[in-house]
Amino acid sequence: MTGAGFDLSLSDERRYGVAIVANDKVIDWLLPFLESYRDTNAALPLYLIPYDDNISLTRRAADVYGATIVESEPAEIDRLSHELYPGIFNSHRRRLRKLQALALALDEVAYVDVDVILFRDLRTVFGRLESGEREFIVASPSFDYVYNENQKKHAFLDGALLFNDGFWVTSSRFLSLSDVLETIRADIDIFHEVRKRGQLFAQPLMNFVVHRRGLKTALLPHCVENASHENYYKAPGITFSNGKPLDPEGKEIYLAHWAGAITLPSHDVFAGAWKEFSRAARARVYKRGDSYSLFR
């Protein structure tokens, strides 16, 4: 698509990039993601935000694929996570570290969960943001994992687009890390009143901030021609054309997301592609000839 706002020529001075969060615990997810990124989005800078200090293997993988490790300490984010979720294990609270994507020195940033593989060039998504029209772009809705019944008590949540926070695109013009901190701390009681419980930490927060600040949110299909909002790994009716997935309406699927999966892909419709990326990633790392393997 060559519509308004999409001209990522070499002369374009705008800074676009993609951010993920990972550590060694999710190395089996990280490697196929990185391979899919190389296959589809090598022209875009990739920033890897450490989930914690357990990143020795992660650093090696980032080096192989040319990803930039974000070295700055997320002190404000970690402080916020302790304020919001006292008594919760750090391993859960650190899910909020995806907010560090908002502090990167970029004009627009796309955040992507690590349990994802990419099928298409994300450059078509950048340059679509527009004040008052599209200030926060998401890939898919999420109706059941954001708010509880108290949502109905608050007018600013009436008709709000509830979204999966495993993929989003925005700009510091519309949402910065300081905006998130200020919004949550100003309305922390409302947030706790409406947020859905049950191992949900970042997703209710991202939705709440976007909705409380009144950002104009748009689904990917409303921004990019022939794009699908489908990305769930259990989605029915998926077909492939030239190795790229299409939804039942023939629209182009940009990513597959194993949201909520507790085991690695095995038999779902996207599992074959995931396994191919995983095998290619292992072969690429082995080619480096190091005596120490990433895979033990």
Side-chain angles (χ1 to χ4, degrees), residues 80-86 96 184 188 191-192 195 205:
L80 176 67
S81 73
H82 281 266
E83 293 173 4
L84 288 179
Y85 307 118
L96 268 62
I184 287 295
I188 189 169
F191 171 67
H192 283 307
R195 72 177 175 92
L205 182 144

Side-chain angles (χ1 to χ4, degrees), residues 10-79:
L10 293 177
S11 62
D12 194 333
E13 295 181 356
R14 289 171 292 181
R15 298 164 299 171
Y16 303 126
V18 177
I20 60 172
V21 176
N23 68 353
D24 290 359
K25 186 176 181 179
V26 295
I27 194 71
D28 287 334
W29 288 106
L30 174 62
L31 290 170
F33 170 85
L34 290 173
E35 184 67 22
S36 76
Y37 194 92
R38 180 185 184 278
D39 188 60
T40 57
N41 285 274
L44 281 170
L46 178 62
Y47 299 86
L48 196 156
I49 300 165
Y51 192 80
D52 54 26
D53 294 333
N54 180 28
I55 58 168
S56 59
L57 305 182
T58 299
R59 282 189 181 276
R60 292 168 63 86
D63 179 60
V64 171
Y65 285 93
T68 299
I69 298 284
V70 178
E71 302 289 358
S72 57
E73 287 293 326
E76 291 181 303
I77 297 170
D78 287 349
R79 189 178 304 116

Side-chain angles (χ1 to χ4, degrees), residues 107-128:
D107 295 301
E108 294 182 15
V109 62
Y111 169 80
V112 187
D113 273 357
V114 74
D115 54 350
V116 160
I117 55 173
L118 301 172
F119 289 104
R120 302 184 191 274
D121 193 337
L122 295 180
R123 287 180 296 175
T124 59
V125 184
F126 288 107
R128 306 288 182 176

Side-chain angles (χ1 to χ4, degrees), residues 46 74 102 126 268 291:
L46 178 62
L102 298 172
F126 288 107
D268 59 80
S291 59

Side-chain angles (χ1 to χ4, degrees), residues 14 16 22 43 98 106 127 178 184 285:
R14 289 171 292 181
Y16 303 126
K98 65 175 62 178
L106 298 169
S178 61
I184 287 295
V285 172

